[in-house]
């Protein structure tokens, strides 16, 4: 066992994952990969947003195929054990596993970063294949070619996690990026010693460089390739199983099944199948709380990083997306790697790749409540958003007026929003009216459950009547037999806008 060659780490890490009470068995991925391994010289790259299980799957692949440790006790209990290909491939291969996110202490140059990887792997090879004569100055690929010759066709299976990590480091220059791509090409491309290389990351390879260094890879992207889609993220059926476990394990359950859907669902495979953020689902069940488990360096700065160059055009889209509407977009995943994002399509493409937006049927959306929190923080905090920022920050006044029954003040706030704060939105259709109303109720969403209902014609009184007749309040009770989750007052709020008089009218009733 070495640093990278036949390391015991993937087995140990995956074993700890399987011992999690909310573990999901996705070992059938292995059965799909075995033919690639057996054919030889195959290259696969899986790109997904953060927190979608890429590293867990990489560890599973390393634990299954690699000789680093005996993992039969792990996989005998998983679905892959029923495959006729199981025993002939379990712990059968010399595996080189590299996590490219691991860096030397105080690393400040690409040379020190890549030299550490090369030195460690050469040390591993020298120890395990002593019959090959080579020096530490020899190229890594030349050493591997020699091992293939001397050891009668010895092959290696490469698993490389977070291949694009280095591109996010401040000290990496353009020449370093080119050098890194060439390193991967020299190591993997057109070598008989490669049985398969499996690579994961956030950024897609395609269009990453002007050359063809990594054109041997088959790329499987979330928005355009359906194959392997169900292995990254949780499906509805998998979350159902986890939720049943949770109800048996948790003494005082506080998380509802519908809450998991509202908070963490909203991503899609290429065919349109819904996916949940797996990390957040597990965290919510483990800690018995629906919360924002999306972590970054700040509350909203990651979103602002992408939109800052085109705020004037994007802010109107934000108003619509905050209200649950989708925005037409042409998502090109390679745009995420561009250093200077200027057009809306480029910006939205990058945000989809990083998981900040979701994409389906030609539109981008804010995927769920967890991400909605980050957008709401942005709207309240970033003055450069102009009228959107101002409307978000009068939402406290709108909530106060609603709770006190002051319909005149509510109409006054809406009138202000229409006349002075929405220069671009036409306000002449139901979608845009609802979006502005949603924005001025932003504060209410922090402390209350807000349900936006279908439009009603004419007056706010008719809107209230519709709410009563269609019994919208019943949805707060939950399913029959379940403990009631909402025990406070339910308010019905009717709002209308007269296009002729340009006036708003409001009515409130306690349901």
């Amino acid at each position: 066992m070495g640093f990278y060659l036949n390391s015991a780490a993937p087995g140990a890490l995956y074993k700890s994952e399987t011992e999690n009470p909310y573990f999901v068995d996705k070992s059938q991925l292995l059965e799909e990969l075995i033919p690639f391994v057996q054919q030889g010289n195959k290259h696969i790259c899986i790109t997904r947003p953060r927190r979608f299980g890429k590293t867990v799957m990489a560890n599973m692949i390393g634990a299954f195929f690699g000789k680093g440790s005996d993992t039969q006790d792990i996989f005998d209990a998983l679905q892959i054990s029923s495959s006729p290909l199981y025993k002939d491939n379990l712990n059968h291969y010399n595996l080189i596993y590299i996590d490219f996110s691991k860096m030397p202490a105080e690393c400040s140059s690409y040379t020190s970063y890549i030299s550490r990887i090369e030195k460690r792997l050469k040390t591993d090879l020298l120890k395990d294949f002593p019959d090959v004569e080579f020096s530490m100055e020899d190229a890594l690929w030349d050493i591997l070619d020699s091992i293939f010759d001397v050891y009668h066709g010895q092959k290696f299976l490469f698993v490389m996690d977070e291949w694009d990590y280095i591109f996010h480091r401040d000290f990496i220059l353009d020449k370093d990026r080119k050098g890194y791509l060439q390193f991967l090409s020299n190591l993997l491309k057109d070598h008989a010693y490669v049985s398969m290389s499996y690579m994961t990351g956030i950024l897609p390879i395609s269009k990453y460089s002007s050359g063809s260094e990594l054109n041997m890879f088959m790329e499987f992207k979330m928005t355009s390739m359906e194959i392997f889609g169900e292995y990254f993220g949780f499906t509805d059926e998998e979350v159902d199983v986890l939720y049943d476990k949770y109800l048996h394990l948790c003494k005082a359950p506080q998380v509802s099944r519908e809450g998991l859907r509202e908070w963490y669902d909203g991503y899609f495979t290429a065919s349109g199948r819904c996916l949940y953020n797996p990390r957040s689902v597990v965290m919510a069940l483990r800690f018995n709380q629906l919360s924002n488990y999306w972590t970054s360096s700040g509350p909203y700065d990651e979103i602002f990083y992408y939109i800052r160059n085109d705020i004037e055009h994007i802010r109107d889209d934000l108003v619509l997306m905050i209200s649950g509407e989708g925005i037409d977009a042409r998502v090109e995943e390679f745009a995420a790697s561009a250093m200077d994002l200027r057009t809306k399509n480029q910006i939205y493409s990058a945000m989809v790749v990083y998981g900040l937006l979701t994409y389906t049927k030609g539109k981008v959306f804010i995927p769920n409540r967890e991400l909605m929190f980050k957008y709401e923080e942005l709207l309240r905090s970033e003055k450069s958003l102009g009228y959107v920022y101002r409307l978000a920050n009068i939402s406290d006044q709108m909530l106060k007026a609603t709770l006190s029954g002051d319909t005149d003040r509510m109409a006054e706030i809406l009138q202000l929003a229409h006349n002075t704060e929405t220069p671009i939105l036409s306000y002449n259709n139901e979608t845009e009216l609802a979006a502005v109303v949603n924005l001025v109720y932003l504060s209410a969403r922090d402390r209350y459950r807000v349900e936006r209902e279908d439009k009603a014609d004419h007056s706010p009184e008719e809107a209230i009547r519709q709410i009563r007749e269609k019994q919208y309040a019943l949805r707060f009770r939950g399913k029959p037999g379940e403990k009631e989750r909402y025990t406070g007052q339910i308010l019905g709020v009717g709002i209308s806008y007269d296009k002729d008089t340009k006036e708003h009218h409001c009515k409130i009733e306690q349901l």
Side-chain angles (χ1 to χ4, degrees):
M1 293 182 289
F3 293 112
Y4 299 127
L5 176 62
N6 295 329
S7 168
L13 292 170
Y14 189 63
K15 182 178 178 62
S16 67
E17 195 70 33
T18 62
E19 293 170 348
N20 183 328
Y22 300 113
F23 167 74
V24 173
D25 180 358
K26 291 182 179 285
S27 63
Q28 286 179 316
L29 170 64
L30 297 166
E31 190 168 23
E32 297 198 42
L33 293 178
I34 287 171
F36 292 104
V37 175
Q38 293 177 336
Q39 291 166 25
N41 196 31
K42 294 294 181 279
H43 307 272
I44 292 171
C45 182
I46 305 286
T47 54
R48 291 295 187 276
R50 287 167 297 176
R51 309 169 188 88
F52 266 77
K54 298 186 300 295
T55 295
V56 173
M57 292 295 98
N59 284 329
M60 178 186 74
I61 293 166
F64 177 77
F65 287 109
K67 294 180 176 179
S69 54
D70 182 355
T71 56
Q72 184 171 349
D73 61 325
I74 300 174
F75 291 101
D76 273 355
L78 302 183
Q79 295 174 13
I80 183 62
S81 63
S82 63
S83 169
L85 303 172
Y86 173 56
K87 288 189 176 180
D88 289 340
N89 288 276
L90 177 67
N91 305 140
H92 186 71
Y93 299 87
N94 280 304
L95 181 99
I96 295 174
Y97 187 110
I98 303 175
D99 181 347
F100 283 109
S101 70
K102 305 298 188 220
M103 304 190 69
E106 300 180 359
C107 182
S108 59
S109 73
Y110 171 71
T111 299
S112 63
Y113 170 81
I114 204 67
S115 295
R116 174 175 175 265
I117 293 173
E118 291 185 297
K119 182 178 179 180
R120 285 189 163 192
L121 183 50
K122 288 176 184 179
T123 300
D124 291 346
L125 294 171
L126 179 62
K127 177 182 176 183
D128 279 33
F129 300 97
D131 292 344
V132 174
E133 295 183 4
F134 66 86
S135 69
M136 297 298 283
E137 285 71 36
D138 291 338
L140 190 52
W141 34 94
D142 290 338
I143 296 170
L144 288 163
D145 277 331
S146 297
I147 291 173
F148 180 83
D149 290 336
V150 173
Y151 283 83
H152 311 292
Q154 175 62 61
K155 293 187 177 184
F156 298 86
L157 194 157
F158 291 79
V159 175
M160 295 168 290
D161 195 23
E162 298 201 48
W163 84 275
D164 55 336
Y165 179 85
I166 192 64
F167 292 107
H168 303 286
R169 302 306 98 195
D170 292 338
F171 57 79
I172 295 299
L173 307 175
D174 283 342
K175 66 180 182 66
D176 298 327
R177 294 184 180 91
K178 294 177 182 177
Y180 178 61
L181 293 172
Q182 193 61 57
F183 166 79
L184 292 175
S185 179
N186 290 339
L187 180 63
L188 302 171
K189 190 173 183 178
D190 297 329
H191 286 292
Y193 59 73
V194 178
S195 57
M196 182 184 75
S197 60
Y198 175 94
M199 197 158 73
T200 76
I202 298 173
L203 297 178
I205 296 171
S206 56
K207 305 290 186 179
Y208 200 85
S209 68
S210 58
S212 59
E213 295 93 344
L214 303 183
N215 62 359
M216 69 284 196
F217 274 94
M218 297 175 285
E219 282 198 83
F220 299 95
K221 311 167 192 174
M222 181 180 248
T223 63
S224 59
M225 295 292 286
E226 179 61 19
I227 185 171
F228 304 141
E230 72 272 23
Y231 300 116
F232 299 89
F234 289 164
T235 65
D236 254 319
E237 295 81 5
E238 289 168 339
V239 176
D240 285 342
V241 173
L242 292 181
Y243 190 69
D244 285 342
K245 288 184 181 179
Y246 162 75
L247 292 178
H248 286 92
L249 291 172
C250 187
K251 295 180 180 179
Q254 300 295 317
V255 174
S256 70
R257 179 63 181 86
E258 184 57 34
L260 290 175
R261 181 174 290 106
E262 178 185 350
W263 275 75
Y264 310 120
D265 195 6
Y267 298 94
F268 298 91
T269 66
S271 66
R273 189 179 186 186
C274 289
L275 292 174
Y276 292 70
N277 180 327
R279 178 182 181 273
S280 295
V281 169
V282 170
M283 297 284 278
L285 297 179
R286 179 179 292 171
F287 297 115
N288 195 25
Q289 182 179 352
L290 295 169
S291 186
N292 181 6
Y293 298 106
W294 186 282
T295 56
S296 68
S297 57
Y300 69 87
D301 56 339
E302 193 172 10
I303 296 170
F304 184 67
Y305 171 83
Y306 292 104
I307 70 172
R308 70 192 191 282
N309 290 329
D310 200 19
I311 284 180
E312 183 177 349
H313 295 102
I314 287 176
R315 62 186 175 188
D316 298 323
D317 289 351
L318 284 176
V319 175
L320 294 170
M321 284 193 283
I322 285 285
S323 68
E325 299 294 330
I327 301 299
D328 291 329
R330 187 179 69 256
V331 169
E332 299 175 352
E333 291 180 314
F334 65 84
S337 63
M339 299 305 293
D340 190 18
L341 303 171
R342 290 290 174 181
T343 70
K344 285 208 295 185
N345 277 326
Q346 286 179 337
I347 292 167
Y348 293 152
S349 295
M351 295 174 79
V352 167
V353 167
Y354 283 95
L356 298 170
L357 290 174
T358 188
Y359 176 76
T360 186
K361 297 179 181 178
K363 293 180 180 288
V364 290
F365 300 81
I366 298 172
N368 49 44
R369 184 69 184 129
E370 182 176 39
L371 266 295
M372 190 70 77
F373 265 121
K374 293 178 70 67
Y375 285 87
E376 290 174 1
E377 289 172 351
L378 170 69
L379 266 54
R380 288 198 187 96
S381 307
E382 189 50 56
K383 290 183 178 180
S384 61
L385 287 170
Y387 80 89
V388 178
Y389 165 81
R390 292 190 292 273
L391 285 181
N393 280 285
I394 65 171
S395 61
D396 284 333
Q397 300 175 40
M398 190 66 171
L399 175 60
K400 182 178 180 181
T402 302
L403 295 177
S404 64
D406 188 349
T407 55
D408 290 338
R409 177 57 178 153
M410 291 168 59
E412 181 184 338
I413 292 171
L414 287 167
Q415 201 75 19
L416 173 69
H418 182 203
N419 293 339
T420 65
E421 299 290 354
T422 54
I424 299 176
L425 290 171
S426 66
Y427 215 70
N428 286 326
N429 63 62
E430 179 67 21
T431 298
E432 292 176 349
L433 169 60
V436 172
V437 170
N438 190 77
L439 190 56
V440 297
Y441 272 107
L442 202 62
S443 289
R445 288 157 49 153
D446 289 343
R447 285 166 276 175
Y448 300 92
R449 175 170 165 178
V450 178
E451 291 280 350
R452 196 187 90 194
E453 302 302 345
D454 296 333
K455 67 178 181 178
D457 294 329
H458 307 303
S459 69
E461 288 79 12
E462 288 173 320
I464 297 291
R465 185 166 63 249
Q466 176 176 300
I467 290 173
R468 287 189 176 279
E469 288 176 351
K470 294 191 176 183
Q471 296 183 304
Y472 289 138
L474 288 178
R475 69 182 59 186
F476 291 96
R477 293 184 180 176
K479 297 179 181 179
E482 285 185 345
K483 180 181 178 181
E484 288 193 18
R485 290 179 279 131
Y486 302 97
T487 56
Q489 295 180 5
I490 300 176
L491 297 182
V493 180
I495 298 173
S496 71
Y497 171 67
D498 190 314
K499 295 178 182 178
D500 296 325
T501 65
K502 310 295 186 183
E503 293 180 339
H504 295 79
H505 300 280
C506 305
K507 183 176 178 59
I508 299 173
E509 282 191 13
Q510 182 176 326
L511 305 180

